[in-house]
Amino acid sequence: METADLQALIDWEAPAVSDFLDFSLPESTKARKMAFVRSRWLMDRLTETYLSDWRFTSLQLEWRYSRGEQEPPCGRKVMRERYIERNELAFALSDAASRRDSTNEKSAALYSMALQLVKSEQVASAAEVLKLALKGDPENPKLLNSLGFCMLAEEPQVAIEYLEQARSLGYKNTVNTCNLLYGLLRTGKYAAVLELSEAALVDWPKLDRTTSVLWDFKSEEPKILRNACSRCYVKDIGLYVVRSHGDASSRLRWDEMTRNMHDPSVQ
């Protein structure tokens, strides 16, 4: 940036995903590596709600910081905006250490990268990253679910296979149900949408209340919703299909079934 002219900076393009994944810092640049680790610690602190989703190195640095042995990655005023309880941090660090291995760490890093690409609407690139992650961790249900999500827009039937595989491996998060419902809708299987949605709504209080990145089922063209309520999605897509393709009796039954289902924030 210091030596290039203005036009070169304007014309600059990011490297391909494969080139980026092959990039590694030289062994001699220890300071740069540490700066990178500290930056990831800050990102975990600012963007990850649960300590279980933090990188292992971030938990380590947070523990050292809590003991006064580590300088923070930003101003202390910003650090004070989020208080980390010592006991919770200790449990999270212990859990992460007990399951830590190189495969998990690589999978977590690639998953995080793919998620950022999805949020930037670079879904095809995210799919490439997830496929690479699955080569080293082929039975990771979280990766399978995410790859299924990425493929829903272009190859919904293939996506459904990934999503069902994730489900068979124990991935029971509501977001998986949401993805399957969208895939079934995209393939015109309206009765299957209603069947799966109704089965999920039986456990309405137990469905995840978290927000997720999902596909907009009302949009004719593939469109991403960045902060969709997972369990509301299960209900709303069912109502959308029954009102568009159901008969009078099924519409009446669905209206009665969902009448007392409110937004998760009020329950």
Side-chain angles (χ1 to χ4, degrees):
M1 291 180 67
E2 291 176 348
T3 58
D5 59 32
L6 180 60
Q7 192 58 45
L9 292 175
I10 293 173
D11 295 339
W12 182 85
E13 294 183 0
V17 172
S18 57
D19 293 338
F20 180 79
L21 294 174
D22 289 337
F23 176 78
S24 61
L25 294 173
E27 292 299 323
S28 59
T29 57
K30 184 176 180 179
R32 289 174 63 193
K33 287 185 177 181
M34 189 58 202
F36 181 65
V37 170
R38 283 164 53 85
S39 297
R40 294 198 305 185
W41 171 28
L42 178 60
M43 288 302 297
D44 283 340
R45 234 182 176 276
L46 295 177
T47 64
E48 297 293 352
T49 302
Y50 304 107
L51 292 176
S52 58
D53 294 329
W54 285 29
R55 298 170 180 85
F56 182 69
T57 53
S58 298
L59 292 169
Q60 287 180 307
L61 290 172
E62 185 71 32
W63 179 256
R64 292 180 59 197
Y65 171 71
S66 72
R67 293 166 57 88
E69 301 170 353
Q70 172 67 49
E71 286 297 313
C74 61
R76 295 185 185 276
K77 181 179 179 181
V78 176
M79 295 293 283
R80 286 195 295 270
E81 290 178 359
R82 180 178 185 182
Y83 173 72
I84 307 295
E85 209 281 323
R86 284 283 297 276
N87 285 342
E88 292 183 6
L89 177 59
F91 281 122
L93 185 57
S94 176
D95 287 344
S98 65
R99 64 175 182 268
R100 182 174 177 246
D101 60 51
S102 58
T103 298
N104 283 343
E105 289 184 0
K106 183 176 181 181
S107 296
L110 293 175
Y111 172 81
S112 179
M113 183 184 298
L115 180 59
Q116 295 307 313
L117 287 169
V118 167
K119 290 181 178 179
S120 300
E121 300 190 12
Q122 300 179 64
V123 179
S125 296
E128 287 185 43
V129 173
L130 291 165
K131 288 177 182 177
L132 180 65
L134 281 166
K135 286 182 180 180
D137 197 3
E139 294 190 348
N140 186 316
K142 189 175 183 179
L143 295 177
L144 289 164
N145 177 75
S146 297
L147 180 56
F149 167 87
C150 290
M151 301 189 72
L152 279 168
E154 300 297 331
E155 299 181 78
Q157 190 56 55
V158 175
I160 288 172
E161 293 175 9
Y162 281 115
L163 294 168
E164 289 180 338
Q165 188 179 351
R167 201 177 187 87
S168 69
L169 289 169
Y171 194 81
K172 303 301 184 184
N173 297 39
T174 305
V175 67
N176 178 263
T177 302
C178 296
N179 290 334
L180 277 170
L181 287 168
Y182 181 77
L184 293 170
L185 178 63
R186 290 272 298 174
T187 52
K189 298 176 180 178
Y190 306 122
V193 171
L194 295 178
E195 182 180 355
L196 177 58
S197 180
E198 190 168 345
L201 292 179
V202 171
D203 291 325
W204 171 256
K206 298 180 181 179
L207 298 181
D208 297 339
R209 304 185 183 195
T210 56
T211 58
S212 305
V213 179
L214 297 169
W215 291 103
D216 185 352
F217 59 82
K218 294 182 180 179
S219 176
E220 293 185 4
E221 297 297 325
K223 177 183 176 183
I224 288 177
L225 301 172
R226 289 182 176 80
N227 295 291
C229 164
S230 298
R231 76 171 186 170
C232 299
Y233 190 98
V234 174
K235 170 176 66 71
D236 293 342
I237 195 172
L239 285 170
Y240 175 79
V241 170
V242 79
R243 289 169 181 170
S244 302
H245 304 283
D247 55 28
S249 61
S250 61
R251 288 197 295 270
L252 178 61
R253 182 169 56 82
W254 265 78
D255 286 340
E256 292 176 350
M257 179 177 63
T258 59
R259 185 171 294 123
N260 296 320
M261 293 178 180
H262 306 293
D263 185 87
S265 62
V266 299
Q267 289 194 13

